[in-house]
Amino acid sequence: MAPHRKSRPPSPMGIRTPALATAALTSVALLSQTANASPAEEPRPSLEEVEKKVDDLYRQAETAGEKYNAAKEKTTKQKKRVDTLLDDVARRTEKLNDAREELGTFAAAQYRTGAAAPDTASLLLADNPQDYFDQTQLMDRLTSRQKQSVDDYVTQQTATTEKRQEASESLETLTRTQSSLKTSKADVQRKLATARDLLSKLTAEEKARLAAIERKKQEEAQRKADELARQQAADAERRRQEAAQGTGTSTGSGSASGTSGSGSGSAASTAKADKALAFARAQIGKPYVWGASGPGSYDCSGLTQAAWKAAGVTLPRTTWDQVKAGTTVSVNSAQPGDLVFFYDDISHVGIYIGDGMMIHAPKPGAYVREESIYYMPIHSVVRPA
C-alpha cells in the first residue's frame, strides 16, 4: 500500500503557461535585436540643404584661396628680401675678412719688429674691438694707415652683425608666412573635398533637380541684369538729350550700355578698358583653379589682375587689395572694364562688360564665363586707377 504523502501546492514561480513562455521568448529576442542593432543612420539632408552647404563651402574655399594668394605674394616678396640680405651679408663678410687679414699683416709686421704685437693680437680676438680700443692706448701706437684699417674692420664688423640679425629676423618671418601658406592651402583642399563628397552622394534625380534650381537662379539674375541695361540705356539717352539742349547737369560720372556706353573717362582709359576686356574674353572657357593666375587657368582675382595687366595696369593679387586700387562708383554708373566685387567679405570679383554682365572665373569645377553681376550679392564696383 502506497504511503500517504501530503502533496505541496506548486510554487507560483514554477508555473509556465504557453502564453507566458511565448511572451518571455519574444522579450528576449527583442532585447537581443536591440543590443545587436547598429546606430540609426542620420537622416539625409534635403536638396536645398545640400545646395546651401555646397555654396557655402565654395565661398569658404574661395576666401581661403584669397588668403593663400596673399600669403603666396608675401612669401615671394619676403624670399626676395631674404636673398638680398644674405647676399649683402656675404659681401660684408668678405670685406670683414679682408679687413681682418690686413690687420693680421700689421700684427705680423709688429711682431717681427717687436712692437705691440700682443695688443694687436688681442684686437683680432676681441668680441667687441671698439671696447678694446676704449681701454688701451693701442691707437696711439698705430700708424695712420693702420688706424684706417682698424676703423674699416670695426665698421665692417658692426655692419655685418646688424645685417646678419636682419637676415635672421627676415628668415623667421618667411617661415611663419610659409606656414600660413600651407594652412590656407590645406583649408581650401579640405572644403573642396567636403563639397565633392556631398555632391557625389546625390542621386541622378537629385542632381537634375539641383540643375533646375541653378537654372532658375541664373534666370532671375539675368532678369535683373536686363533691368540694369535698360536703366543705363535710359540714363545715357537722357544725358545725350540734355547735352544737345545745352541743359545738361550731369557731372559725367558716366554709365554704360553694352560696350558703347557713354562716360567721362578719357580716351586713354577707355582704350585700356577695351584691352582688359579683350583679354578677359579670350580666357572664356578656361578652367577655374584656385590660386591660378594664368595662362591656362585662373581664379577670380587672378583673372582680373591678368586682364588689366594686359592693358598696362598693375593690380594687386587679392580681391581685398584690388578693391582699394581705384575709384568706387555706383552699380548704375558701372562702365566696361570696372571691377565688380561680391559678398560682405569681398571674396569674389569679376570684370564688367556692360548690360549688367561680367566675365569672371566662378568657382571650382566651372570655367571662365559671362554671367549676370546679380548672380551673387554685390559689394561694390571699382574703376581701376
Side-chain angles (χ1 to χ4, degrees), residues 250-265:
S250 172
T251 58
S253 61
S255 67
S257 176
T259 57
S260 59
S262 62
S264 62

Side-chain angles (χ1 to χ4, degrees), residues 59-71 184 300-301 316-325 341-349 379:
R59 272 199 60 204
Q60 292 170 23
E62 193 159 35
T63 300
E66 289 300 303
K67 290 180 181 178
Y68 172 86
N69 291 337
S184 296
C300 66
S301 57
R317 178 62 179 91
T318 69
T319 54
W320 304 314
D321 290 328
Q322 288 183 10
V323 75
K324 305 171 188 175
F341 295 89
F342 301 90
Y343 301 111
D344 291 340
D345 61 355
I346 320 176
S347 57
H348 191 77
V349 63
H379 174 273

Side-chain angles (χ1 to χ4, degrees), residues 107 116-126 132:
D119 288 342
T120 308
S122 298
L123 165 65
L124 293 173
L125 295 175
Y132 178 81

Side-chain angles (χ1 to χ4, degrees), residues 228-306:
L228 176 61
R230 286 191 293 269
Q231 180 62 49
Q232 289 181 329
D235 290 344
E237 179 60 27
R238 175 179 53 79
R239 283 192 299 272
R240 282 193 291 269
Q241 291 179 0
E242 289 176 349
Q245 296 171 1
T247 60
T249 58
S250 172
T251 58
S253 61
S255 67
S257 176
T259 57
S260 59
S262 62
S264 62
S266 66
S269 61
T270 301
K272 289 180 179 180
D274 288 344
K275 288 181 180 179
L277 287 173
F279 180 92
R281 284 195 178 91
Q283 312 314 307
I284 291 177
K286 292 183 179 180
Y288 173 101
V289 174
W290 67 268
S293 56
S297 58
Y298 298 89
D299 63 11
C300 66
S301 57
L303 175 64
T304 51
Q305 183 190 49

Side-chain angles (χ1 to χ4, degrees), residues 310-332:
V313 176
T314 300
L315 292 180
R317 178 62 179 91
T318 69
T319 54
W320 304 314
D321 290 328
Q322 288 183 10
V323 75
K324 305 171 188 175
T327 304
T328 301
V329 299
S330 68
V331 175
N332 285 348

Side-chain angles (χ1 to χ4, degrees), residues 7 12 19 38 65 87 141 290 302 364 368:
S7 63
S38 59
D87 288 343
R141 297 196 295 271
W290 67 268
V368 176

Side-chain angles (χ1 to χ4, degrees), residues 203-247:
T203 65
E205 180 183 355
E206 288 173 329
K207 289 178 180 178
R209 287 169 54 200
L210 192 62
I213 293 173
E214 175 67 13
R215 284 193 299 272
K216 185 175 181 180
K217 182 178 178 181
Q218 292 276 5
E219 290 169 358
E220 177 60 20
Q222 185 60 54
R223 183 188 65 76
K224 292 182 179 179
D226 293 340
E227 287 180 3
L228 176 61
R230 286 191 293 269
Q231 180 62 49
Q232 289 181 329
D235 290 344
E237 179 60 27
R238 175 179 53 79
R239 283 192 299 272
R240 282 193 291 269
Q241 291 179 0
E242 289 176 349
Q245 296 171 1
T247 60

